[in-house]
């Protein structure tokens, strides 16, 4: 979220306030991402980099239109120019997909939420695991390649959510949230539920069951491709991804039946796929089809 951060409290030193403070979390673990991120705010042709703090918060200083309040005394009323900033987030360690979102400070010093219309986002900015991220043996892994039916095009930036099946659907616990990349490939990586951890080091225990849901309506990139750095195909817009409409994951290619409840064996990667897909695609390719509703 956007917020304020005090830099100095010494009465003999001028106090400087960071006008923008952003905290990012791993969408699979819920833990704060404290290193390896490049966070940039763009406005009026300028690019301002955030500075990471030792607590994992990324801070902005001297943002255009808000320089005066960097040294606000907490009392004097200041007239602000309400700019909207485009925030770009990239991971130099290639663990997460890049993303972008907009934010502004129209009601400073009140915090401005990210994607206020998405109530599930809360006060955190999620980062989604990329398929090439290093895997952890003590984490559950769900993989596949998501295509849209009809057309066989990649379901780029489709949102996937995994829920506990043992709980009522209306209140089921969200275990992990992730996205498919530009080519449709996805990897969902998250800690095993506590009751299954012992199975990872001992005899094989019972299988864990879960349901998986999708949202997709072809979210648009926020930044034109010709403005992206070399090698980047698209910078997905976070709020656009989260606001997608529900879609159906197909159990069989020639059927409208939805993907049923899935089972996982602790310690083994699960590959999701639609059965009976026609040539030239083959079942061993782990292709999962999606159908918009």
């Amino acid at each position: 979220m956007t917020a304020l951060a005090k830099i100095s409290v010494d009465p003999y030193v001028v106090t400087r306030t960071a006008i923008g403070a952003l905290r990012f979390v791993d969408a699979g673990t819920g833990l704060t991402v404290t290193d390896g991120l490049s966070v940039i705010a763009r406005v009026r042709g300028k690019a301002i980099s955030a500075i990471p703090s030792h607590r994992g918060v990324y801070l902005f200083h001297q943002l255009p239109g808000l320089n005066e309040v960097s040294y606000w005394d907490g009392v004097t009323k200041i007239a602000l120019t309400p700019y909207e900033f485009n925030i770009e987030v990239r991971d130099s360690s290639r663990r997460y997909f890049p993303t972008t979102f907009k934010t502004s400070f129209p009601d400073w010093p009140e915090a401005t939420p990210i994607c206020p219309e998405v109530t599930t986002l809360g006060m955190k900015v999620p980062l989604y695991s990329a398929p090439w991220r290093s895997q952890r043996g003590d984490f559950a892994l769900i993989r596949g390649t998501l295509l849209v039916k009809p057309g066989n095009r990649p379901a780029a930036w489709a949102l996937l959510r995994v829920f506990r099946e043992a709980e009522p659907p209306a209140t089921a616990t969200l275990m992990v949230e992730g996205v498919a990349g530009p080519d449709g490939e996805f990897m969902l990586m998250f800690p095993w539920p506590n009751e299954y951890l012992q199975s990872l080091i001992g005899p094989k225990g019972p299988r864990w069951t879960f349901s998986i849901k999708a949202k997709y309506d072809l979210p648009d990139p926020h930044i034109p491709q010709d403005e992206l750095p070399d090698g980047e195909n698209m910078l997905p817009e976070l709020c656009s991804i989260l606001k997608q409409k529900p879609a159906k994951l197909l159990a069989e290619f020639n059927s409208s039946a939805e993907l049923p409840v899935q089972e996982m064996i602790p310690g083994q990667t699960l590959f999701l796929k639609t059965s009976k897909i026609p040539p030239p695609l083959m079942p061993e390719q782990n292709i999962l089809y999606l159908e918009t509703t």
Side-chain angles (χ1 to χ4, degrees), residues 116-163:
E117 65 277 29
V118 182
T119 57
T120 57
L121 188 59
M123 308 298 283
K124 57 187 178 182
V125 181
L127 298 178
Y128 299 113
S129 293
W132 46 82
R133 181 180 181 181
S134 296
Q135 301 178 9
R136 290 184 51 168
D138 57 338
F139 274 34
L141 293 173
I142 302 174
R143 305 185 68 107
T145 298
L146 198 58
L147 299 182
V148 180
K149 181 188 175 184
N152 283 341
R153 71 177 186 275
W157 312 121
L159 184 68
L160 296 169
R161 288 173 170 160
V162 174
F163 296 91

Side-chain angles (χ1 to χ4, degrees), residues 10 12 42 48 52 59 68 98 104 113 118 157 165 171 173 200-201 242 247 251 268 270 288:
D10 191 322
Y12 300 104
R42 295 188 186 275
I48 302 95
L59 306 173
E68 292 184 15
S104 60
V118 182
W157 312 121
E165 179 58 28
T171 58
T173 302
L200 299 176
I201 57 176
L242 294 173
Q268 295 186 14
L270 175 67
L288 178 61

Side-chain angles (χ1 to χ4, degrees), residues 4-293:
L4 303 174
K6 287 287 186 181
I7 302 303
S8 173
V9 295
D10 191 322
Y12 300 104
V13 178
V14 175
T15 298
R16 187 182 184 189
T17 301
I19 303 304
L22 296 169
R23 186 183 296 275
F24 302 92
V25 298
D26 186 317
T29 65
L31 299 177
T32 299
V33 181
T34 60
D35 66 326
L37 300 183
S38 167
V39 183
I40 297 173
R42 295 188 186 275
V43 64
R44 303 183 66 192
K46 296 182 179 180
I48 302 95
S49 295
I51 301 173
S53 75
H54 66 283
R55 294 184 178 181
V57 178
Y58 285 76
L59 306 173
F60 288 105
H61 302 284
Q62 297 182 339
L63 292 173
L66 300 173
N67 290 338
E68 292 184 15
V69 295
S70 292
Y71 302 99
W72 185 54
D73 59 10
V75 177
T76 307
K77 185 175 178 60
I78 301 176
L80 302 178
T81 302
Y83 289 114
E84 186 172 57
F85 300 91
N86 295 323
I87 308 298
E88 301 174 14
V89 186
R90 298 175 176 85
D91 178 23
S92 60
S93 299
R94 303 182 77 247
R95 298 161 296 179
Y96 310 103
F97 285 120
T99 191
T100 183
F101 54 88
K102 294 182 179 180
T103 188
S104 60
F105 302 86
D107 300 315
W108 190 91
E110 298 299 326
T112 302
I114 304 300
C115 310
E117 65 277 29
V118 182
T119 57
T120 57
L121 188 59
M123 308 298 283
K124 57 187 178 182
V125 181
L127 298 178
Y128 299 113
S129 293
W132 46 82
R133 181 180 181 181
S134 296
Q135 301 178 9
R136 290 184 51 168
D138 57 338
F139 274 34
L141 293 173
I142 302 174
R143 305 185 68 107
T145 298
L146 198 58
L147 299 182
V148 180
K149 181 188 175 184
N152 283 341
R153 71 177 186 275
W157 312 121
L159 184 68
L160 296 169
R161 288 173 170 160
V162 174
F163 296 91
R164 277 180 177 268
E165 179 58 28
E167 299 174 349
T171 58
T173 302
L174 176 65
M175 300 302 300
V176 67
E177 184 176 81
V179 297
D183 59 357
E185 187 178 2
F186 64 87
M187 180 183 74
L188 307 177
M189 183 168 70
F190 57 101
W192 279 100
N194 290 334
E195 62 267 32
Y196 292 90
L197 289 178
Q198 188 61 35
S199 299
L200 299 176
I201 57 176
K204 296 298 182 182
R207 299 190 178 197
W208 179 58
T209 58
F210 67 91
S211 60
I212 181 167
K213 304 296 181 182
K215 298 180 74 175
Y216 179 74
D217 57 12
L218 193 60
D220 294 325
H222 175 61
I223 299 176
Q225 186 170 342
D226 58 2
E227 295 182 13
L228 293 174
D230 291 343
E232 269 190 11
N233 296 320
M234 185 185 297
L235 195 59
E237 210 276 330
L238 176 63
C239 300
S240 177
I241 288 175
L242 294 173
K243 291 189 296 183
Q244 294 181 96
K245 299 177 182 178
K248 182 186 294 185
L249 298 174
L250 299 179
E252 295 184 9
F253 185 82
N254 293 318
S255 171
S256 60
E258 191 170 6
L259 191 73
V261 170
Q262 299 293 301
E263 293 183 335
M264 290 189 72
I265 298 176
Q268 295 186 14
T269 300
L270 175 67
F271 293 93
L272 295 179
K273 53 189 175 182
T274 298
S275 64
K276 301 180 181 179
I277 60 176
L281 298 176
M282 302 299 291
E284 58 268 21
Q285 291 180 271
N286 302 315
I287 302 298
L288 178 61
Y289 275 94
L290 171 153
E291 189 174 67
T292 57
T293 57

